[in-house]
Amino acid sequence: MQFSGLGSASELFSKVSSSAARGCTRCVRKSVVLGSLVTALAGCTGFAETKPAVEPEGREESTKTNVLEAGAAALQPDDPLEPMNVYLVGFHPMKDDPSHQMEAHHFCTQVNEDFAQCVLFDGNTRDANLNGIEYIISEHLFEQLPEPEKQYWHPHNGEILSGQLVAPNLPVQADHELMKSKMNSYGKTWHTWETARGASDKSLPLGEPMLAWSFNRQGEAKADLVESRDKRMNIDTEARRKAREDLIPLARPQSGVDALEGQFQGPTQPIPGVVSKDDSKNTSSQ
């Protein structure tokens, strides 16, 4: 992942995170006692453990299974998982049922400058449940897709400019550059397990995979969903939104912005910089 003027992602995270993120780690420990004020003062985006939302049905692991797992951990490679070291947390509505909304913890690897892939969980601890996948592509790759394929890819500018998508425990500078690199990108997300908080009856991944979408207007995401995440993880969505206002000039009209228009309860407001490509075409033709 390239960051404008800062070199590669590995260079950025080794140089910035190795020093400033140590301060973030200290601030996380203190924030348990002092709250989000300490997180803000330390210049971090916020972080706290989020336990899984549901507990899978099944028997307790046997000693034999534990021994086999230990042997596998010692002898077998996990190379495909090792690069998945970019952590993002945000929210998804389901495209076929926008009232169905989930908090999504993404663990991603940037394969090349235009393509990333993520595994999604319902938390950030070792016992978190894998509940989906997301592929992320640049605007350049999106424009090359066949038209029928584009219906599966949601736009990202709303997630970024609303402040809802956050890279936890990063220095605010690194979070800002990461979001800048994802402006005008698109994601294809499938959730395979309904693990939304409060869905205690969903102890197994049942049913068909659900195509997820993005929020593209203020008021579409349920307020209690965002507030719960922010309070639990010491994240300030509004502060992130304000810090990203300088990214608005980079935003270009995107496809899919109006795909769920009118399907949310309550009033909504435009997010500055989030423009539908259809609206842009109509304006230019007048």
Side-chain angles (χ1 to χ4, degrees):
M1 182 184 306
Q2 294 291 322
F3 298 95
S4 177
L6 292 176
S8 67
S10 59
E11 291 171 343
L12 174 67
F13 285 104
S14 63
K15 292 178 181 178
V16 177
S17 299
S18 62
S19 57
R22 282 198 295 270
C24 291
T25 302
R26 289 195 294 271
C27 99
V28 167
R29 293 169 181 160
K30 294 178 181 178
S31 68
V32 174
V33 179
L34 300 179
S36 59
L37 176 61
V38 176
T39 301
L41 291 175
C44 313
T45 54
F47 175 83
E49 284 192 351
T50 295
K51 300 291 289 182
V54 300
E55 183 176 352
E57 185 176 334
R59 296 168 295 165
E60 185 176 352
E61 286 189 7
S62 67
T63 301
K64 178 180 178 181
T65 297
N66 288 332
V67 171
L68 289 172
E69 286 182 326
L75 300 174
Q76 293 187 299
D78 60 358
D79 292 355
L81 302 177
E82 193 278 331
M84 290 186 169
N85 51 21
V86 177
Y87 171 35
L88 307 169
V89 60
F91 309 97
H92 294 148
M94 302 305 109
K95 191 175 186 183
D96 289 341
D97 180 12
S99 65
H100 181 178
Q101 304 179 9
M102 297 172 64
E103 179 178 313
H105 297 258
H106 309 55
F107 291 84
C108 309
T109 179
Q110 191 75 28
V111 178
N112 58 47
E113 191 65 16
D114 296 290
F115 180 80
Q117 53 189 7
C118 311
V119 287
L120 308 183
F121 293 86
D122 64 349
N124 57 22
T125 56
R126 290 179 63 88
D127 54 351
N129 298 303
L130 191 156
N131 65 1
I133 59 171
E134 178 164 1
Y135 300 104
I136 299 173
I137 59 175
S138 66
E139 179 184 35
H140 170 70
L141 290 185
F142 177 81
E143 295 300 338
Q144 298 178 40
L145 296 177
E147 284 301 319
E149 172 64 22
K150 291 180 179 179
Q151 66 182 313
Y152 302 110
W153 295 83
H154 62 265
H156 279 153
N157 286 352
E159 295 182 337
I160 295 170
L161 296 177
S162 68
Q164 292 176 4
L165 185 65
V166 178
N169 203 34
L170 280 188
V172 292
Q173 178 193 4
D175 173 86
H176 188 275
E177 292 298 328
L178 176 57
M179 297 304 157
K180 181 179 179 180
S181 75
K182 292 301 162 201
M183 287 294 296
N184 304 305
S185 66
Y186 292 83
K188 184 178 187 178
T189 302
W190 293 95
H191 277 286
T192 56
W193 190 352
E194 162 56 291
T195 57
R197 299 192 176 277
S200 58
D201 59 326
K202 307 295 184 181
S203 58
L204 289 173
L206 306 177
E208 296 182 357
M210 299 171 289
L211 179 66
W213 210 246
S214 53
F215 296 112
N216 291 286
R217 292 175 65 88
Q218 295 286 8
E220 291 183 342
K222 295 177 180 177
D224 59 349
L225 184 69
V226 180
E227 291 169 1
S228 173
R229 188 278 307 265
D230 285 4
K231 182 177 181 180
R232 182 180 355 103
M233 298 189 68
N234 297 319
I235 289 172
D236 189 337
T237 293
E238 180 61 14
R240 299 276 59 75
R241 183 193 67 77
K242 291 180 178 178
R244 297 171 187 170
E245 288 180 344
D246 65 325
L247 300 181
I248 293 175
L250 302 179
R252 290 186 286 274
Q254 290 199 287
S255 296
V257 167
D258 293 335
L260 303 183
E261 185 178 12
Q263 298 187 47
F264 297 91
Q265 294 183 350
T268 63
Q269 297 180 340
I271 300 171
V274 178
V275 178
S276 169
K277 183 169 287 188
D278 293 335
D279 290 344
S280 176
K281 289 179 181 178
N282 293 335
T283 300
S284 62
S285 64
Q286 292 176 358

